[in-house]
Amino acid sequence: MKVAFGCDHAGWKLKDDIFKYLLENRISVSDYGTHSSESVDYPDYAERVCRDIIDAQADMGILICGTGLGMAIAANKFKGIRAVTVCDEFSAEMARAHNDANVITFGSRVIGPGLACKILDRFLNTSYEKGRHQHRLNKIAGFESGAEKSII
Ligand code: RB5
């Protein structure tokens, strides 16, 4: 598995622990920064990570900002990206199993490194179940192209 990583100056605080987890688990990572606490704009990092996934240079993305929310909002503007902000292990599992999420976002001002790594572990080690979930994801993909119309 190959992972693309990005964070802003707020998310940078969690970076060391996330990288320690990735290293220990021999997960290959492309690190797009940021590399310091100097203020930057989180959409730039979300874009870089999402483009790696879209170009098949990465299987999954990890994005960290202060809340995880701005990163998720930015990432979900990219076609084919399903980004989720997760604060618990159950949601991490469901985001993969039912939603085939390909980007996880964390808020460094929301959760600590121990929980973030547990959540990440569950996320990266859960497979998408396909089956009944696929036509729902197809509908979401239809929203991106403007093809999908509500039936209710
Ligand atoms: C930066 O202060 C903060 O706004 C950013 O990290 C993020 O939380 C935005 O969603």
Side-chain angles (χ1 to χ4, degrees):
M1 177 187 297
K2 191 149 187 226
V3 159
F5 176 90
C7 65
D8 72 356
H9 54 288
W12 182 67
K13 298 180 194 94
L14 254 187
K15 187 172 178 175
D16 282 355
D17 294 276
I18 296 291
F19 270 66
K20 190 163 171 270
Y21 166 86
L22 294 172
L23 192 68
E24 281 171 5
N25 288 279
R26 296 188 186 84
I27 296 168
S28 162
V29 55
S30 299
D31 178 9
Y32 293 114
T34 189
H35 302 288
S36 78
S37 58
E38 190 180 330
S39 184
V40 293
D41 298 331
Y42 60 84
D44 297 332
Y45 298 86
E47 178 185 6
R48 195 63 195 78
V49 164
C50 291
R51 292 211 187 282
D52 247 25
I53 296 170
I54 290 163
D55 296 342
Q57 297 304 304
D59 305 297
M60 297 283 179
I62 303 169
L63 291 167
I64 313 177
C65 60
T67 58
L69 302 177
M71 284 293 199
I73 291 168
N76 280 316
K77 297 296 179 193
F78 290 87
K79 198 170 179 177
I81 297 299
R82 291 173 299 279
V84 287
T85 307
V86 181
C87 297
D88 68 278
E89 289 181 66
F90 177 75
S91 298
E93 186 176 327
M94 290 301 107
R96 286 289 308 128
H98 290 193
N99 310 119
D100 197 20
N102 49 13
V103 173
I104 189 165
T105 79
F106 293 115
S108 69
R109 295 169 180 160
V110 180
I111 58 170
L115 180 56
C117 290
K118 283 259 182 204
I119 290 169
L120 181 60
D121 185 65
R122 185 79 74 95
F123 186 80
L124 295 180
N125 288 296
T126 303
S127 299
Y128 173 45
E129 287 176 6
K130 300 184 184 155
R132 72 186 191 278
H133 305 295
Q134 189 54 50
H135 85 273
R136 295 161 184 166
L137 293 191
N138 292 346
K139 288 190 173 195
I140 295 172
F143 296 151
E144 291 174 334
S145 63
E148 188 65 30
K149 288 272 185 292
S150 173
I151 57 160
I152 55 169

